[in-house]
Amino acid sequence: MKDLPLSKVYQLLEPGPVVLLTTARNGRANVMTMSWHMMVEFEPPLVACVVSPADYSYAALRAMKECVIAIPAVDLASKIVEVGNCSGRDVDKFEAFHLTQIAAERVAPPLIGECFANLECKAVDTRLVNKFGLFVLEVVKAGIDPIQMNPKTVHHRGFGEFVVDGETIRLKSKMP
Amino acid sequence: MKDLPLSKVYQLLEPGPVVLLTTARNGRANVMTMSWHMMVEFEPPLVACVVSPADYSYAALRAMKECVIAIPAVDLASKIVEVGNCSGRDVDKFEAFHLTQIAAERVAPPLIGECFANLECKAVDTRLVNKFGLFVLEVVKAGIDPIQMNPKTVHHRGFGEFVVDGETIRLKSKMP
């Protein structure tokens, strides 16, 4: 992974791709599929996400306050679904789905080698966790895989229907 | 607009489209462009979004606790950018950009006639507003335009670069 300036992180998440979220606790890593996330601030980049108490990852994220948001390209679509279809309670998903753990620099949960971007995150606000499972995270380090050029991401429409990135249009905008 | 069951609202927002947000205060409506939103709960549908104090809409949303999330298809891309490029402080954006206000049923801010979906929302948690501009909204009524079939949405990558919905893929998933 090559360093990505933190000021560019929002460009990866603002379009709303399905992502993978890794956590770690007691020396064991887990990964879940997640679509409920949004940017909260440009820089330092803050991200909100929802992890339900029904998700096995919830306890680890809540206790350790660290995670990695890994962004898969469309070629990983079947793995995205496999990861979402089972629980870390029952399965070592990294082993089962041949996902490569790479040590992160600033947090304990691993990066995912197959993903084109990995964002190391620490939870900075947990006030809405009890009521909504809503965590506010700060991205403390970001990396991209320079080998994966112009990766297309996927967006979940429900029940395993995904829309893949299509054409790009450029309009004169004052918005960052 | 035709009623959309509230249980289906997440299917519209989970993919991460750019949306328009309408507010109203003192008899005057405004609209802004927004990409920072996510689902928080399936049903009743809860949505989180970030509206910055720098946005003219912030004061109205904060005071009135009501808004409409209107979802535009790609044919409105140039209007999405025009709406985002100016402020309601200076411009009546509905008039300037020929957007049609339609009275909502449950909230004061208007629906947008040109959008293929309109979600009437009330703010239900404002604990993260002071620190992050993060509002938690409940969608209390949803409608879709049955004339607009299979609308393609746009996703913002920053600086006026948008990716349009491309092909759809379907995989066997246990996830809703």
Side-chain angles (χ1 to χ4, degrees):
Chain A
M1 294 282 158
K2 185 186 147 195
D3 277 6
L4 179 76
L6 292 178
S7 61
K8 296 197 168 180
V9 164
Y10 79 96
Q11 297 178 6
L12 297 174
L13 291 182
E14 184 165 320
V18 179
V19 301
L20 300 174
L21 184 88
T22 79
T23 48
R25 198 181 186 189
N26 302 329
R28 183 162 171 260
N30 188 31
V31 54
M32 65 175 274
T33 299
M34 182 171 81
S35 281
W36 291 8
H37 60 78
M38 67 173 177
M39 290 305 303
V40 171
E41 185 53 87
F42 290 105
E43 197 178 2
L46 300 180
V47 179
C49 70
V50 175
V51 177
S52 155
D55 295 318
Y56 185 64
S57 305
Y58 176 84
L61 178 54
R62 189 179 175 127
M64 308 306 291
K65 294 190 163 51
E66 292 186 345
C67 61
V68 169
I69 295 175
I71 312 179
V74 61
D75 60 297
L76 295 177
S78 62
K79 284 183 200 272
I80 289 169
V81 172
E82 288 174 320
V83 166
N85 276 352
C86 64
S87 170
R89 275 179 205 92
D90 314 311
V91 185
D92 178 336
K93 300 197 214 179
F94 289 96
E95 193 177 291
F97 307 123
H98 308 289
L99 293 169
T100 308
Q101 296 187 35
I102 297 177
E105 267 188 36
R106 300 279 308 276
V107 299
L111 316 180
I112 299 179
E114 289 76 12
C115 288
F116 72 86
N118 279 277
L119 312 174
E120 303 182 25
C121 301
K122 291 176 186 272
V124 292
D125 196 305
T126 56
R127 278 180 284 167
L128 298 195
V129 169
N130 279 345
K131 193 164 179 192
F132 302 115
L134 189 158
F135 295 81
V136 179
L137 311 170
E138 179 178 341
V139 180
V140 293
K141 184 169 174 62
I144 51 164
D145 177 0
I147 304 296
Q148 296 195 46
M149 300 284 285
N150 304 314
K152 284 183 186 293
T153 62
V154 298
H155 308 259
H156 191 224
R157 281 183 170 155
F159 300 104
E161 182 176 311
F162 298 88
V163 60
V164 185
D165 289 344
E167 62 163 334
T168 297
I169 53 180
R170 287 176 187 84
L171 296 165
K172 228 172 202 153
S173 174
K174 295 180 194 166
M175 293 178 285
Chain B
M1 293 283 157
K2 186 186 147 197
D3 278 6
L4 179 77
L6 292 178
S7 61
K8 295 195 168 182
V9 164
Y10 80 95
Q11 297 178 7
L12 297 173
L13 291 182
E14 184 164 321
V18 178
V19 301
L20 300 174
L21 184 89
T22 79
T23 48
R25 197 182 187 189
N26 302 327
R28 182 162 173 261
N30 188 31
V31 54
M32 66 175 274
T33 298
M34 181 171 82
S35 282
W36 291 8
H37 61 76
M38 67 173 176
M39 291 305 302
V40 171
E41 185 53 88
F42 289 105
E43 196 177 4
L46 301 179
V47 179
C49 71
V50 175
V51 177
S52 155
D55 295 318
Y56 185 64
S57 305
Y58 176 84
L61 178 55
R62 189 181 175 125
M64 308 307 292
K65 294 189 163 52
E66 292 185 347
C67 61
V68 169
I69 295 174
I71 313 180
V74 61
D75 60 298
L76 295 177
S78 62
K79 285 184 200 272
I80 289 169
V81 172
E82 287 174 320
V83 166
N85 276 351
C86 63
S87 169
R89 276 180 204 93
D90 315 311
V91 185
D92 178 336
K93 300 198 214 179
F94 289 96
E95 193 177 292
F97 306 124
H98 309 289
L99 293 169
T100 309
Q101 297 186 33
I102 297 177
E105 268 188 38
R106 301 279 309 274
V107 299
L111 315 180
I112 299 179
E114 289 76 11
C115 287
F116 72 86
N118 279 276
L119 312 174
E120 303 183 25
C121 303
K122 291 177 187 272
V124 292
D125 196 303
T126 56
R127 277 180 285 167
L128 297 195
V129 169
N130 279 345
K131 193 164 177 192
F132 302 115
L134 190 156
F135 295 81
V136 179
L137 312 169
E138 178 178 341
V139 180
V140 293
K141 185 170 174 61
I144 50 165
D145 177 359
I147 304 296
Q148 297 194 46
M149 301 284 285
N150 304 315
K152 285 182 185 290
T153 62
V154 297
H155 309 257
H156 192 224
R157 281 183 171 157
F159 300 104
E161 182 176 310
F162 298 88
V163 59
V164 185
D165 289 343
E167 62 164 334
T168 297
I169 54 180
R170 287 176 187 84
L171 296 165
K172 227 172 202 152
S173 173
K174 295 179 194 166
M175 293 178 282

